[in-house]
Amino acid sequence: AVGVPCRLVRCSRARGPPLAGGGAASIGFANEAPLLLVSQESVETLSSALRREGERPVGARSFRPNIVVGAPRASPGGTRPEAPLLSAAASGAEDGWTALRVGGLRLRVAGPCARCSMVEVDPASGARHGSVLRTLATYRRSHARINFGVFCELERAAAERAGGTERMFVEEGDEVEPVARSPASPTTP
């Protein structure tokens, strides 16, 4: 009972679009990769920058992530977390990860998520914010793209071992362990 009309949909196992990090995967309802990860600390850093500009803060839901790495937080006006919340990470730390372990799964970071104007739309009310991209552009611009969060996918070896028959999932409270990092440093305003 989610309180809105919805429809149960089944996706075929057809091959999806090319992934941000190269290759392709069987994905449904995703435009670049199966998973999008952001850190709560990065969201809070952005919200602090917005407040300094006299703008209202945003929550992780504005970025439509599957996984939020950070300490559990209640959603605005409620008591449930905004997305599965895992162990803490410093602001921008996810930008330097190339692989991570979440619970029993190993994920490969496919690349950064270039943001579009959808981050300006509040997912609960549909109201436009108007300052999120402009603020992100002051400290998250790279090669004419405004990046925030990283795309992840299950490492190929783990997927092949499962053979598509084993159910694999992460749960709130699962520990996140970066197992490989690039020389990139976290970006903060």
Side-chain angles (χ1 to χ4, degrees), residues 56 61-62 64 117-118 120-130:
R56 67 184 187 278
R61 289 185 62 206
S62 293
R64 281 70 172 174
S117 62
M118 283 304 295
E120 298 287 357
V121 179
D122 182 298
S125 69
R128 290 193 55 81
H129 190 286

Side-chain angles (χ1 to χ4, degrees), residues 61-174:
R61 289 185 62 206
S62 293
F63 300 95
R64 281 70 172 174
N66 305 93
I67 300 173
V68 178
V69 179
R73 301 265 195 280
S75 61
T79 57
R80 295 185 51 196
E82 295 183 343
L85 289 153
L86 308 162
S87 63
S91 180
E94 65 273 23
D95 297 340
W97 298 346
T98 58
L100 58 145
R101 190 176 331 277
V102 180
L105 300 178
R106 187 173 162 118
L107 303 177
R108 180 181 79 81
V109 174
C113 178
R115 305 319 303 220
C116 69
S117 62
M118 283 304 295
V119 300
E120 298 287 357
V121 179
D122 182 298
S125 69
R128 290 193 55 81
H129 190 286
S131 299
V132 176
L133 281 175
R134 185 186 74 234
T135 302
L136 282 173
T138 65
Y139 70 101
R140 301 291 302 211
R141 187 180 295 272
S142 176
H143 305 288
R145 295 172 43 158
I146 301 169
N147 297 319
F148 192 86
V150 293
F151 289 118
C152 299
E153 62 184 353
L154 186 62
E155 281 197 345
R156 185 177 307 274
E160 288 172 358
R161 277 194 308 273
T165 60
E166 186 178 316
R167 183 177 175 111
M168 297 176 280
F169 57 90
V170 296
E171 294 182 285
E172 182 179 340
D174 281 350

